[in-house]
Coordinates of all heavy atoms in Angstrom, one line a residue:
V268 N -12.2 -17.8 -53.1 CA -12.6 -17.7 -51.6 C -11.4 -18.3 -50.8 O -11.0 -17.8 -49.8 CB -13.9 -18.5 -51.5 CG1 -14.1 -18.8 -50.0 CG2 -15.1 -17.7 -52.0
I269 N -10.8 -19.4 -51.3 CA -9.8 -20.1 -50.5 C -8.6 -19.2 -50.4 O -8.0 -19.0 -49.4 CB -9.4 -21.4 -51.2 CG1 -10.6 -22.5 -50.9 CG2 -8.1 -21.9 -50.6 CD1 -10.5 -23.7 -51.8
H270 N -8.2 -18.5 -51.6 CA -7.0 -17.6 -51.5 C -7.2 -16.4 -50.7 O -6.2 -16.0 -50.0 CB -6.6 -17.3 -52.9 CG -6.0 -18.3 -53.7 ND1 -4.8 -18.8 -53.4 CD2 -6.4 -19.0 -54.9 CE1 -4.5 -19.9 -54.3 NE2 -5.4 -19.9 -55.1
I271 N -8.4 -15.8 -50.7 CA -8.6 -14.7 -49.7 C -8.7 -15.2 -48.3 O -8.2 -14.5 -47.5 CB -10.0 -14.1 -50.1 CG1 -9.9 -13.4 -51.5 CG2 -10.4 -13.1 -49.1 CD1 -11.2 -12.8 -52.0
A272 N -9.3 -16.3 -48.0 CA -9.3 -16.8 -46.6 C -7.9 -17.2 -46.1 O -7.7 -17.0 -44.9 CB -10.2 -18.0 -46.5
T273 N -7.0 -17.6 -47.0 CA -5.7 -18.0 -46.4 C -4.8 -16.7 -46.5 O -3.7 -16.9 -46.0 CB -5.0 -19.0 -47.3 OG1 -5.0 -18.6 -48.8 CG2 -5.9 -20.2 -47.2
G274 N -5.2 -15.5 -47.0 CA -4.4 -14.4 -47.0 C -3.5 -14.3 -48.2 O -2.7 -13.3 -48.4
D275 N -3.6 -15.3 -49.2 CA -2.8 -15.2 -50.4 C -3.2 -14.1 -51.4 O -2.4 -13.6 -52.2 CB -2.8 -16.5 -51.2 CG -2.2 -17.7 -50.4 OD1 -1.3 -17.4 -49.5 OD2 -2.4 -18.8 -50.7
L276 N -4.5 -13.8 -51.3 CA -5.1 -12.7 -52.2 C -5.8 -11.7 -51.4 O -6.6 -11.9 -50.6 CB -6.1 -13.5 -53.1 CG -7.0 -12.5 -54.1 CD1 -5.9 -11.8 -55.1 CD2 -7.8 -13.3 -54.8
V277 N -5.4 -10.4 -51.6 CA -5.9 -9.3 -50.9 C -6.4 -8.3 -51.9 O -5.7 -7.9 -52.9 CB -4.9 -8.5 -50.1 CG1 -5.5 -7.2 -49.5 CG2 -4.3 -9.5 -48.9
I278 N -7.8 -8.0 -52.0 CA -8.3 -7.2 -53.0 C -8.0 -5.6 -52.7 O -8.4 -5.2 -51.6 CB -9.9 -7.3 -53.1 CG1 -10.2 -8.8 -53.3 CG2 -10.5 -6.5 -54.2 CD1 -9.7 -9.5 -54.5
A279 N -7.3 -5.0 -53.6 CA -6.8 -3.7 -53.4 C -8.1 -2.8 -53.5 O -9.1 -3.0 -54.3 CB -5.8 -3.2 -54.2
A280 N -8.1 -1.6 -52.9 CA -9.2 -0.6 -53.0 C -9.4 -0.2 -54.5 O -10.6 0.1 -54.8 CB -9.1 0.6 -52.1
E281 N -8.3 -0.2 -55.2 CA -8.4 0.2 -56.6 C -9.2 -0.7 -57.5 O -9.4 -0.5 -58.7 CB -7.0 0.5 -57.2 CG -6.3 1.6 -56.4 CD -5.7 1.3 -55.2 OE1 -5.4 0.1 -54.9 OE2 -5.3 2.2 -54.4
A282 N -9.4 -1.9 -57.0 CA -10.0 -3.0 -57.7 C -11.6 -3.0 -57.6 O -12.3 -4.0 -58.0 CB -9.5 -4.4 -57.4
W283 N -12.1 -1.9 -57.1 CA -13.6 -1.9 -57.0 C -14.4 -2.0 -58.2 O -15.5 -2.7 -58.3 CB -14.0 -0.6 -56.3 CG -13.9 0.6 -57.0 CD1 -12.8 1.5 -57.0 CD2 -14.7 1.3 -58.0 NE1 -12.9 2.6 -58.0 CE2 -14.1 2.4 -58.6 CE3 -16.0 0.8 -58.5 CZ2 -14.8 3.2 -59.5 CZ3 -16.6 1.7 -59.5 CH2 -16.1 2.7 -60.0
P284 N -13.8 -1.7 -59.5 CA -14.7 -2.0 -60.7 C -14.8 -3.5 -61.0 O -15.8 -4.0 -61.4 CB -13.9 -1.3 -61.8 CG -13.1 -0.3 -61.1 CD -12.7 -0.8 -59.7
L285 N -13.7 -4.2 -60.6 CA -13.8 -5.8 -60.7 C -14.8 -6.3 -59.8 O -15.5 -7.2 -60.1 CB -12.4 -6.2 -60.6 CG -11.4 -6.0 -61.8 CD1 -10.1 -6.6 -61.3 CD2 -12.0 -6.6 -63.1
V286 N -14.9 -5.9 -58.6 CA -15.8 -6.3 -57.6 C -17.2 -5.9 -58.0 O -18.1 -6.8 -58.0 CB -15.5 -5.6 -56.2 CG1 -16.6 -6.1 -55.2 CG2 -14.2 -6.0 -55.7
A287 N -17.4 -4.8 -58.6 CA -18.8 -4.3 -59.2 C -19.2 -5.3 -60.3 O -20.3 -5.8 -60.4 CB -18.8 -3.0 -59.6
L288 N -18.2 -5.6 -61.1 CA -18.4 -6.6 -62.3 C -18.8 -8.0 -61.7 O -19.7 -8.6 -62.3 CB -17.3 -6.7 -63.2 CG -17.3 -7.5 -64.4 CD1 -18.4 -7.0 -65.4 CD2 -16.0 -7.6 -65.1
L289 N -18.2 -8.5 -60.6 CA -18.5 -9.8 -60.0 C -19.9 -9.6 -59.4 O -20.7 -10.5 -59.4 CB -17.5 -10.1 -58.9 CG -17.5 -11.4 -58.3 CD1 -17.5 -12.5 -59.2 CD2 -16.6 -11.5 -57.1
G290 N -20.3 -8.4 -58.9 CA -21.6 -8.2 -58.4 C -22.6 -8.5 -59.5 O -23.7 -9.0 -59.3
F291 N -22.5 -7.8 -60.6 CA -23.4 -8.0 -61.8 C -23.4 -9.4 -62.2 O -24.5 -9.8 -62.5 CB -23.0 -7.1 -62.9 CG -23.2 -5.6 -62.7 CD1 -22.1 -4.7 -62.8 CD2 -24.5 -5.1 -62.4 CE1 -22.3 -3.4 -62.5 CE2 -24.7 -3.8 -62.1 CZ -23.6 -2.9 -62.2
L292 N -22.3 -10.1 -62.2 CA -22.3 -11.5 -62.6 C -23.1 -12.4 -61.5 O -23.8 -13.2 -62.0 CB -20.8 -12.0 -62.7 CG -20.7 -13.6 -63.1 CD1 -21.4 -13.8 -64.5 CD2 -19.3 -14.0 -63.1
A293 N -22.9 -12.1 -60.3 CA -23.7 -12.8 -59.3 C -25.1 -12.4 -59.4 O -25.9 -13.4 -59.3 CB -23.2 -12.3 -57.9
A294 N -25.6 -11.2 -59.7 CA -26.9 -10.9 -59.9 C -27.6 -11.6 -61.0 O -28.7 -12.1 -61.0 CB -27.1 -9.3 -60.0
A295 N -26.9 -11.7 -62.1 CA -27.3 -12.3 -63.4 C -27.5 -13.9 -63.1 O -28.5 -14.4 -63.6 CB -26.3 -12.0 -64.5
T296 N -26.5 -14.4 -62.4 CA -26.5 -15.8 -62.0 C -27.7 -16.1 -61.1 O -28.5 -17.2 -61.4 CB -25.3 -16.2 -61.4 OG1 -24.2 -16.0 -62.1 CG2 -25.2 -17.7 -61.1
M297 N -28.1 -15.3 -60.2 CA -29.3 -15.4 -59.3 C -30.5 -15.3 -60.1 O -31.6 -16.0 -60.0 CB -29.2 -14.4 -58.2 CG -28.1 -14.6 -57.2 SD -28.1 -16.3 -56.5 CE -26.4 -16.3 -56.1
R298 N -30.6 -14.3 -61.0 CA -31.7 -13.9 -61.8 C -32.1 -15.0 -62.7 O -33.3 -15.4 -63.0 CB -31.5 -12.6 -62.5 CG -32.6 -12.2 -63.6 CD -33.7 -11.5 -62.9 NE -34.8 -11.3 -63.8 CZ -35.2 -10.1 -64.0 NH1 -34.8 -9.1 -63.3 NH2 -36.3 -10.0 -64.8
C299 N -31.0 -15.8 -63.4 CA -31.4 -16.8 -64.4 C -31.5 -18.1 -63.5 O -31.7 -19.2 -64.3 CB -30.4 -16.8 -65.4 SG -28.9 -17.5 -64.9
G300 N -31.4 -18.2 -62.3 CA -31.6 -19.5 -61.6 C -30.5 -20.4 -61.7 O -30.6 -21.7 -61.5
G301 N -29.3 -19.8 -61.9 CA -28.1 -20.7 -62.0 C -27.8 -21.3 -63.4 O -26.9 -22.1 -63.6
N302 N -28.7 -21.0 -64.4 CA -28.5 -21.5 -65.7 C -27.5 -20.6 -66.5 O -27.7 -19.6 -66.9 CB -29.9 -21.4 -66.5 CG -29.8 -22.1 -67.8 OD1 -28.7 -22.4 -68.3 ND2 -30.9 -22.3 -68.4
I303 N -26.2 -21.2 -66.6 CA -25.2 -20.4 -67.2 C -25.5 -20.1 -68.6 O -25.0 -19.0 -69.1 CB -23.7 -21.2 -67.0 CG1 -22.7 -20.2 -67.2 CG2 -23.7 -22.3 -68.0 CD1 -22.4 -19.3 -66.1
A304 N -26.2 -20.9 -69.4 CA -26.6 -20.6 -70.7 C -27.6 -19.4 -70.8 O -27.3 -18.6 -71.8 CB -27.3 -21.8 -71.3
A305 N -28.4 -19.2 -69.8 CA -29.2 -18.0 -69.8 C -28.4 -16.8 -69.5 O -28.7 -15.7 -70.0 CB -30.3 -18.2 -68.8
V306 N -27.4 -16.8 -68.6 CA -26.5 -15.8 -68.4 C -25.8 -15.3 -69.7 O -25.8 -14.2 -70.0 CB -25.5 -16.0 -67.3 CG1 -24.5 -15.1 -67.2 CG2 -26.1 -16.3 -66.0
L307 N -25.4 -16.3 -70.5 CA -24.6 -16.0 -71.7 C -25.6 -15.5 -72.8 O -25.2 -14.6 -73.6 CB -23.9 -17.3 -72.2 CG -22.9 -17.9 -71.3 CD1 -22.4 -19.1 -72.0 CD2 -21.8 -16.8 -71.1
R308 N -26.8 -15.9 -72.8 CA -27.7 -15.4 -73.8 C -28.2 -14.0 -73.5 O -28.6 -13.3 -74.3 CB -29.0 -16.3 -73.9 CG -28.9 -17.5 -74.6 CD -30.1 -18.2 -74.9 NE -30.8 -18.6 -73.7 CZ -30.8 -19.8 -73.2 NH1 -30.1 -20.8 -73.6 NH2 -31.4 -20.0 -72.0
G309 N -28.3 -13.6 -72.3 CA -28.6 -12.2 -71.9 C -30.0 -12.2 -71.4 O -30.8 -13.1 -71.1
P310 N -30.4 -10.8 -71.2 CA -31.7 -10.6 -70.6 C -33.0 -11.2 -71.2 O -33.9 -11.5 -70.5 CB -31.8 -9.1 -70.5 CG -30.4 -8.5 -70.7 CD -29.7 -9.7 -71.4
E311 N -33.0 -11.2 -72.5 CA -34.2 -11.7 -73.1 C -34.5 -13.2 -72.7 O -35.6 -13.7 -72.9 CB -34.1 -11.6 -74.6 CG -33.1 -12.3 -75.3 CD -31.7 -11.7 -75.4 OE1 -31.6 -10.6 -74.9 OE2 -30.8 -12.4 -75.9
A312 N -33.4 -13.9 -72.3 CA -33.6 -15.3 -71.9 C -34.2 -15.4 -70.5 O -34.7 -16.5 -70.2 CB -32.3 -16.0 -72.0
W313 N -34.2 -14.4 -69.7 CA -34.6 -14.6 -68.3 C -35.3 -13.4 -67.8 O -35.3 -13.0 -66.7 CB -33.4 -14.9 -67.3 CG -32.0 -14.2 -67.5 CD1 -31.1 -14.7 -68.3 CD2 -31.7 -12.9 -67.1 NE1 -30.1 -13.7 -68.3 CE2 -30.4 -12.7 -67.6 CE3 -32.3 -11.9 -66.3 CZ2 -29.8 -11.4 -67.2 CZ3 -31.7 -10.8 -66.0 CH2 -30.4 -10.6 -66.4
D314 N -36.1 -12.8 -68.7 CA -37.0 -11.6 -68.2 C -38.3 -12.0 -67.7 O -39.0 -11.1 -67.1 CB -37.0 -10.7 -69.4 CG -37.9 -11.2 -70.6 OD1 -38.4 -12.3 -70.4 OD2 -38.2 -10.4 -71.5
G315 N -38.6 -13.3 -67.7 CA -39.9 -13.7 -67.0 C -41.1 -13.7 -68.0 O -42.3 -13.9 -67.5
R316 N -41.0 -13.3 -69.3 CA -42.1 -13.2 -70.1 C -42.9 -14.6 -70.3 O -44.1 -14.6 -70.4 CB -41.7 -12.8 -71.5 CG -41.3 -11.4 -71.6 CD -40.9 -11.0 -73.1 NE -40.2 -9.8 -73.0 CZ -39.3 -9.3 -73.9 NH1 -39.0 -10.2 -74.9 NH2 -38.7 -8.2 -73.8
S317 N -42.1 -15.7 -70.2 CA -42.8 -16.9 -70.4 C -43.4 -17.4 -69.1 O -44.3 -18.3 -69.3 CB -41.6 -18.0 -70.7 OG -40.9 -18.2 -69.6
E318 N -43.2 -16.7 -68.0 CA -43.9 -17.1 -66.8 C -45.1 -16.2 -66.5 O -45.9 -16.4 -65.6 CB -43.0 -17.1 -65.7 CG -41.9 -18.1 -65.8 CD -40.8 -18.0 -64.8 OE1 -41.1 -17.4 -63.7 OE2 -39.7 -18.7 -64.9
R319 N -45.3 -15.1 -67.2 CA -46.4 -14.2 -67.0 C -47.6 -14.8 -67.6 O -47.6 -15.5 -68.7 CB -46.2 -12.9 -67.7 CG -44.9 -12.1 -67.0 CD -44.9 -10.8 -67.6 NE -43.6 -10.3 -67.2 CZ -42.8 -9.6 -67.9 NH1 -43.0 -9.3 -69.2 NH2 -41.6 -9.1 -67.3

Side-chain angles (χ1 to χ4, degrees):
V268 169
I269 290 170
H270 285 293
I271 291 172
T273 59
D275 294 338
L276 176 63
V277 176
I278 307 298
E281 295 82 18
W283 67 266
L285 292 176
V286 177
L288 185 62
L289 184 62
F291 287 121
L292 178 61
T296 304
M297 296 300 157
R298 174 83 188 234
C299 72
N302 185 352
I303 199 76
V306 172
L307 296 174
R308 279 192 300 263
E311 66 275 356
W313 39 266
D314 66 356
R316 287 184 197 150
S317 62
E318 297 177 14
R319 292 186 191 134

